[in-house]
Amino acid sequence: MSRTVVLSVLLLAIAWSADAQENRKPGDAPAEFERMAAPLTGGLREPVDESTYIVGPGDRFAVTVSLGDVASAPLAVTPEGDLVLPGVRAVPVAGETLAVAKRRVEEALATSYRNVDVDVSLVGVRVIEVHVAGQVERPGTYDVSALDVVGTVLQVAGGLAPNGSRRNIQLRFSDGRERSVDLVRYEALGDLDGNPPVMDATSIWVPFAKERVYVMGAVESPGPYELVSGDTVQSLIDIAGGLAEGARRDSIECRSFLNDYETRIEILALDDPVLSARTLENGDQVYVRFQDEQYRDIENVYVTGEVRFPGPYGINEGQDRVRDIISRAGGVTAEASLTEARLVRTSGVEEEDREFERLKTIPVQDMSETEYAYFKAKSRERKGQVVLDFRALMAGDESENHLVFRGDRVIIPRERTTITVSGAVTAPGLVNYVEGTKAPYYIASAGGFSSTADKGKTRVIKAATGEWEPVGDAGVIVPGDEIWVPERPDRDWWKLTRETVSFVASVAAIYLVIDQASRR
């Protein structure tokens, strides 16, 4: 048979194979062939490397032959691991790299037909079954592409359970091999080996995260990290984002437990390859120091409320003052209440007043006079509030322009348009504020005193100081002030009369006894 005739037969066979694949009906081909064109769950992250990709049953190839005319056929690797070339022979390719498989197909065609241009391309990746077990949300068996990476398959399985390992995941193969997967290293450093394709793995096993090490101080992401066998001081710092700006490289402190109570401390230098390669064990703690304790330490003051741009503002302690910060915050708005504005200090303020906490547990009637006075004063105290007149400050009084310190809070509330009148009045509640008026106006606006009011003990609670002032001393009411009218205590007059008579009788009896005794 002439070469042209033979080639024509080959082209017709390949063309027939292509046509058969394009026009096949459901059920004409095995289920494996139907599944092999399924898309990658997570997509390709890079071109397939023909020197590392291992061919397996279900992989789909396009074989193109040309000699004047061109014919191309889609061919799938059979369950036996062969590519069947029409009119030639079956070529074993399973278990070989993509590069070797392509070369074998080209050589098989070249052996039968000379001077033929052949192109072999991988056009579809096989689908495999992978069992996902351990600490995942939905353990089970999943159909995935051989090129899907472990992290993507775990997402398909619902993600890791709360206690699932992220650094000691095991990828297991049918021949007994295992490969460790470190998703933290992949995410932190972009190390592709930490999140490999599943390829022909049979299962993914996610154990509990058990052993941990700690890195603290001048690294980008301090905190606890799961321990992987072989972790070193340097590798731990790497996955923690590396050294932060200003970190010291020559005094890395590594603390290890000798037993449940004793620890050993080593001082390491990252520039020493031996010391930085010090292997870590469960519970080890690595401290990375800054060059200086105050190295670029940001000192903030927080401005909230009625300013144009509320938020945190960096300061230079010992230089910046309250008015400077308010100015940087855009100044106060038209709705600001300077009467109620305050500066609250958090640094250097005692967190707990033990005596006050003790008194809160004692009934008022059981307190001594001194204890009650202390309790009442502390109840009114605004913890950490700096004495400052914001009205005078904003009017230019430099004596009120205090220095600000780290953690200070400048709070400027919205001005109130009502005055609160509560207690023994006919209609307690909010009364519209009228500039220049005093307490009697608001009491009258609230319906006046009720029949049970103790008028003489009416008090004005001043917004600026929290002091309780008698009505006569309070002067003009300003927004934020509150008016409190107490009730007269209930009295049992019949009981009071009986007690008075009894007391008088007792005194009279004593007098008679003394008088009789003196006559003798």
Side-chain angles (χ1 to χ4, degrees):
M1 185 181 295
S2 70
R3 175 175 172 276
T4 302
V5 173
V6 172
L7 182 56
S8 297
V9 172
L10 172 63
L11 293 174
L12 284 172
I14 293 180
W16 174 85
S17 176
D19 183 66
Q21 294 294 343
E22 290 173 1
N23 295 287
R24 62 191 176 89
K25 298 177 182 179
D28 288 348
E32 291 81 4
F33 198 83
E34 291 283 351
R35 291 167 42 201
M36 70 184 178
L40 293 175
T41 305
L44 276 174
R45 61 185 180 184
E46 60 182 359
V48 174
D49 185 348
E50 66 176 18
S51 65
T52 59
Y53 181 80
I54 305 300
V55 175
D59 280 337
R60 185 176 179 180
F61 288 81
V63 178
T64 303
V65 178
S66 62
L67 184 64
D69 294 325
V70 176
S72 181
L75 302 174
V77 179
T78 66
E80 291 83 7
D82 299 329
L83 264 182
V84 180
L85 302 177
V88 184
R89 60 186 173 86
V91 179
V93 292
E96 303 291 347
T97 65
L98 178 57
V100 171
K102 290 168 68 174
R103 187 170 64 250
R104 284 189 176 180
V105 172
E106 292 168 355
E107 290 174 350
L109 287 171
T111 300
S112 299
Y113 307 102
R114 297 181 181 179
N115 301 321
V116 176
D117 292 329
V118 178
D119 181 72
V120 182
S121 300
L122 179 69
V123 295
V125 178
R126 64 188 177 278
V127 171
I128 61 174
E129 282 188 347
V130 176
H131 305 284
V132 182
Q135 299 309 302
V136 292
E137 294 294 342
R138 296 194 299 270
T141 301
Y142 295 90
D143 287 344
V144 297
S145 160
L147 285 179
D148 275 325
V149 294
V150 172
T152 300
V153 178
L154 292 176
Q155 289 175 8
V156 173
L160 299 177
N163 293 325
S165 170
R166 294 182 60 81
R167 301 198 62 205
N168 287 289
I169 300 167
Q170 296 299 311
L171 190 59
R172 297 174 174 174
F173 299 87
S174 57
D175 59 4
R177 290 182 299 117
E178 291 188 354
R179 179 173 179 177
S180 294
V181 175
D182 186 345
L183 294 180
V184 172
R185 188 170 182 83
Y186 166 71
E187 293 164 358
L189 304 176
D191 185 352
L192 299 182
D193 287 339
N195 188 21
V198 291
M199 295 299 284
D200 289 313
T202 57
S203 67
I204 299 173
W205 166 252
V206 181
F208 282 101
K210 294 182 179 180
E211 297 185 336
R212 288 178 173 81
V213 289
Y214 304 82
V215 58
M216 288 162 277
V219 293
E220 295 295 345
S221 183
Y225 286 85
E226 187 182 356
L227 177 66
V228 169
S229 178
D231 270 344
T232 65
V233 171
Q234 181 67 65
S235 67
L236 176 61
I237 291 174
D238 288 342
I239 65 172
L243 297 177
E245 186 175 3
R248 296 190 62 174
R249 302 178 60 85
D250 60 349
S251 57
I252 309 299
E253 180 179 314
C254 185
R255 182 187 296 267
S256 302
F257 282 92
L258 299 176
N259 51 48
D260 290 342
Y261 307 101
E262 297 179 298
T263 60
R264 178 187 64 212
I265 298 176
E266 300 173 70
I267 303 300
L268 312 174
L270 290 184
D271 294 328
D272 186 324
V274 176
L275 295 179
S276 64
R278 193 265 201 199
T279 302
L280 298 174
E281 297 178 357
N282 184 34
D284 282 1
Q285 301 165 8
V286 175
Y287 298 85
V288 183
R289 308 299 182 190
F290 280 101
Q291 295 173 6
D292 184 89
E293 185 178 354
Q294 301 298 325
Y295 180 82
R296 294 193 177 183
D297 191 10
I298 299 176
E299 299 164 340
N300 286 325
V301 166
Y302 300 86
V303 184
T304 59
E306 293 301 316
V307 292
R308 291 188 63 195
F309 310 112
Y313 287 85
I315 63 165
N316 292 314
E317 281 194 354
Q319 299 179 31
D320 290 326
R321 297 179 178 271
V322 178
R323 196 186 298 120
D324 301 329
I325 301 304
I326 293 176
S327 176
R328 288 167 58 192
V332 297
T333 67
E335 292 79 23
S337 172
L338 295 180
T339 302
E340 297 181 88
R342 59 191 188 273
L343 172 64
V344 178
R345 183 145 298 151
T346 58
S347 60
V349 177
E350 185 179 356
E351 293 185 2
E352 182 181 21
D353 185 330
R354 294 183 180 178
E355 180 61 15
F356 180 61
E357 294 298 322
R358 182 185 72 83
L359 291 175
K360 285 199 296 187
T361 65
I362 301 176
V364 172
Q365 62 269 23
D366 293 340
M367 295 182 188
S368 67
E369 184 177 343
T370 302
E371 286 177 331
Y372 178 66
Y374 181 83
F375 179 76
K376 188 166 64 173
K378 283 294 182 180
S379 297
R380 297 174 181 172
E381 184 179 286
R382 294 177 176 177
K383 197 169 186 178
Q385 180 163 317
V386 178
V387 178
L388 192 157
D389 185 341
F390 273 82
R391 289 174 298 179
L393 168 71
M394 299 310 293
D397 187 345
E398 286 302 318
S399 66
E400 299 291 340
N401 195 16
H402 299 333
L403 289 168
V404 289
F405 297 89
R406 177 193 316 193
D408 281 1
R409 305 190 74 88
V410 179
I411 304 169
I412 303 180
R414 183 183 293 268
E415 187 170 32
R416 304 190 208 188
T417 58
T418 57
I419 300 297
T420 300
V421 183
S422 56
V425 291
T426 302
L430 301 176
V431 178
N432 286 332
Y433 169 71
V434 177
E435 187 175 357
T437 52
K438 297 185 178 182
Y441 167 81
Y442 296 101
I443 294 172
S445 298
F449 293 110
S450 70
S451 60
T452 61
D454 191 344
K455 301 177 184 179
K457 292 186 178 179
T458 301
R459 295 291 183 267
V460 176
I461 306 171
K462 302 300 291 183
T465 63
E467 289 294 317
W468 292 43
E469 297 183 356
V471 170
D473 298 337
V476 173
I477 302 298
V478 298
D481 288 353
E482 297 183 19
I483 300 171
W484 164 249
V485 181
E487 291 185 334
R488 294 191 305 272
D490 291 332
R491 289 188 172 87
D492 187 340
W493 294 105
W494 174 242
K495 180 180 179 181
L496 180 61
T497 300
R498 284 188 292 118
E499 289 176 349
T500 302
V501 170
S502 177
F503 175 73
V504 171
S506 298
V507 171
I510 293 171
Y511 173 78
L512 287 174
V513 171
I514 294 173
D515 182 65
Q516 290 295 327
S518 63
R519 288 176 184 272
R520 295 176 186 176

